[in-house]
Amino acid sequence: GGFDGKPLKLLEFNADTPTLLYESALIQWALLKFNKMDADSQFNDIFDAISDNFKRMITLGADLSRFDEMYEGWGVLFSSIRGNAEEERTTRFLQECAKNAGLKTEFAYIDEVIFDENNGAFLGDSQYEFLFKLLPWEIISIDEPELAVLMNKMIANKNTIFLNPAYTLLFQSKRMLKILWDLFPNHPLLLESAFEPIHSKKQVKKVSFGREGANVEILDSNGNILA
């Protein structure tokens, strides 16, 4: 949305896979600069906002000026799947935000992380109180059930804080769009959404959990697949 004078519409909300952060926070600004346009017209402060949020993790929302006195050197381990350049860039960008906030950080591929239900998350001999993993909860729960059980025990034992939290799975689901439409029917920022085909309207069919256009079908008003 937003083109040709048409209003913006919410298409989906990838609550657990923030793989547009890098482009939104950095590439947009770089494009302005590269094209010799006004780089100061970059309209977001994502980098600074995320850096401040890392400080809020430590201060629990208290005055950020107290960060230095409250921070005791807790570490944040950032991890992504090996071999996925986009996800690794996004994860390393978040690591830069945390480093900018003054936190101790490290990066590792997810297969290098040691998950210990009693003692927490480790890289080698170093324990990390916070773990960001760019591995969606739905993939963990469906494809890695043993890891899901192990992480659940770590949460219960309060030895690791996972970023993002598991409840983001609810918002990650495309089915949330239908619930929003039920709560706010005909809202100008929403598209009509349903669990069943919508009668006599051109529409897009999406699976509950799909990433980056996977398993999307564009249908005509008769339900025939256009693409």
Side-chain angles (χ1 to χ4, degrees):
F3 298 104
D4 301 323
K6 296 178 181 178
L8 289 163
K9 300 287 184 181
L10 175 65
L11 298 182
E12 55 189 58
F13 175 36
N14 294 322
D16 192 31
T17 53
T19 43
L20 272 177
L21 273 178
Y22 187 74
E23 289 86 348
S24 300
L26 191 64
I27 299 300
Q28 287 179 165
W29 172 80
L31 282 171
L32 288 171
K33 197 169 183 180
F34 179 81
N35 288 294
K36 296 180 172 55
M37 299 169 74
D38 181 12
D40 291 333
S41 67
Q42 166 72 344
F43 62 87
N44 70 62
D45 62 349
I46 291 175
F47 184 89
D48 292 330
I50 293 177
S51 295
D52 284 346
N53 271 343
F54 277 116
K55 290 183 179 180
R56 288 189 180 95
M57 289 194 323
I58 305 301
T59 63
L60 298 177
D63 183 357
L64 295 185
S65 64
R66 297 188 59 210
F67 170 78
D68 290 336
E69 67 181 78
M70 299 177 71
Y71 180 53
E72 299 178 358
W74 293 321
V76 186
L77 181 58
F78 292 86
S79 63
S80 66
I81 299 171
R82 190 186 298 271
N84 189 315
E86 179 187 34
E87 295 190 357
E88 181 174 338
R89 271 198 304 269
T90 301
T91 304
R92 289 186 182 274
F93 169 74
L94 284 166
Q95 182 187 7
E96 280 298 311
C97 294
K99 286 171 65 176
N100 183 64
L103 276 71
K104 181 183 75 174
T105 71
E106 187 58 75
F107 173 85
Y109 295 113
I110 196 75
D111 57 276
E112 297 176 311
V113 180
I114 299 168
F115 295 87
D116 186 316
E117 66 177 88
N118 296 311
N119 298 303
F122 287 81
L123 179 62
D125 295 327
S126 300
Q127 181 183 3
Y128 291 85
E129 289 78 9
F130 298 93
L131 174 65
F132 174 85
K133 69 327 151 273
L134 215 170
L135 178 63
W137 283 106
E138 68 265 22
I139 290 180
I140 294 173
S141 59
I142 295 168
D143 297 338
E144 302 284 349
E146 292 181 1
L147 178 59
V149 170
L150 183 56
M151 293 169 75
N152 187 50
K153 291 178 179 177
M154 293 167 70
I155 293 170
N157 291 333
K158 299 181 179 181
N159 55 44
T160 308
I161 296 176
F162 291 96
L163 313 173
N164 286 316
Y167 66 75
T168 54
L169 179 64
L170 293 172
F171 309 111
Q172 184 88 339
S173 171
K174 310 297 186 293
R175 296 173 81 85
M176 182 59 71
L177 299 172
K178 189 267 186 186
I179 294 171
L180 282 173
W181 183 259
D182 288 347
L183 292 171
F184 307 101
N186 300 307
H187 191 285
L189 296 178
L190 300 177
L191 286 166
E192 182 179 358
S193 302
F195 293 157
E196 304 296 333
I198 299 170
H199 183 64
S200 300
K201 283 189 178 181
K202 188 177 180 181
Q203 58 204 268
V204 173
K205 179 182 178 182
K206 295 182 176 182
V207 296
S208 298
F209 294 107
R211 298 190 61 201
E212 302 191 332
N215 306 312
V216 171
E217 294 177 351
I218 300 174
L219 311 177
D220 67 14
S221 56
N222 295 316
N224 300 310
I225 298 174
L226 298 177

